[in-house]
Amino acid sequence: MRIGGAAFVLWAGLMSAGAAFGHGGASGIVKERMDVMSDISRNMKSMGTMLKGGSAFNPDLVIDAGDAIAAHAGDRLTALFPEGSDHAPTEASPEIWKNWSAFSASAENMKAAALALKRVAEAGEGKKEIAGAFGKLAATCKSCHEVFRIKK
Ligand code: HEC
């Protein structure tokens, strides 16, 4: 079956960005949030692989991954960005602290999208509906990164 092409292009881009930049000598809170992002990324990857047919269709995997991502989102995520923590090798943009309310809203959007994805899987919807919700979640990654993450 065909699933949302755009969502996968988006997802593939996120994954390669993660692989290309890595953790390069980060420590403290910067390392901590990079690890959290990597964990989020791993969960996205296992869902993406499944949705592309690389592993068996398994709604439980989506429920668990949605939960794990939601648990890292919202206030939990913003707590990893104390003011002044924009030292090397971070990719966090100073824009975060200039526009904290938009950054927080973005972290909340990710949480809402992860929970929505989980609910679609819990409701017993098919692969197409799950792929749609997955695409919406992937879009929240991109919209935050575009503004608040510096590409190196
Ligand atoms: C609220 C904003 C925000 C959202 C939403 C967000 N990210 Fe991030 N992400 C960041 C910031 C900021 C960094 C850079 C952190 C740093 O280097 O200190 C980052 C870094 C990353 C990294 C690189 C980690 C590393 O090892 O350096 C990956 C991979 C990543 N994000 C994946 C994702 C994925 C996948 C999603 C969506 C499911 C997502 N992010 C959602 C803000 C966000």
Side-chain angles (χ1 to χ4, degrees):
M1 61 164 272
R2 271 189 78 250
I3 34 183
F8 281 98
V9 169
L10 197 64
W11 170 75
L14 283 165
M15 292 307 116
S16 62
F21 295 104
H23 286 180
S27 61
I29 194 87
V30 172
K31 166 98 168 57
E32 215 178 298
R33 71 198 181 209
M34 285 177 171
D35 288 345
V36 163
M37 283 291 167
S38 299
D39 190 59
I40 290 171
S41 197
R42 252 194 313 279
N43 279 294
M44 289 300 277
K45 194 169 182 177
S46 62
M47 289 191 282
T49 301
M50 185 201 85
L51 291 169
K52 278 191 298 186
S55 61
F57 180 61
N58 177 8
D60 286 341
L61 180 151
V62 177
I63 294 169
D64 290 348
D67 244 348
I69 293 172
H72 283 316
D75 293 347
R76 290 276 191 84
L77 187 67
T78 54
L80 299 173
F81 291 86
E83 195 141 7
S85 64
D86 55 348
H87 44 81
T90 191
E91 291 168 5
S93 164
E95 207 47 49
I96 291 173
W97 298 280
K98 283 188 206 139
N99 203 347
W100 185 257
S101 62
F103 181 67
S104 305
S106 190
E108 284 302 328
N109 286 343
M110 172 167 75
K111 187 172 183 173
L115 292 175
L117 171 60
K118 180 189 164 190
R119 277 195 298 274
V120 169
E122 277 175 341
E125 301 277 4
K127 199 168 178 177
K128 190 172 167 223
E129 288 72 22
I130 289 178
F134 175 85
K136 285 184 189 153
L137 174 57
T140 68
C141 317
K142 185 169 190 248
S143 66
C144 187
H145 289 172
E146 269 172 1
V147 182
F148 296 113
R149 181 181 175 198
I150 299 168
K151 285 279 174 198
K152 291 189 179 139

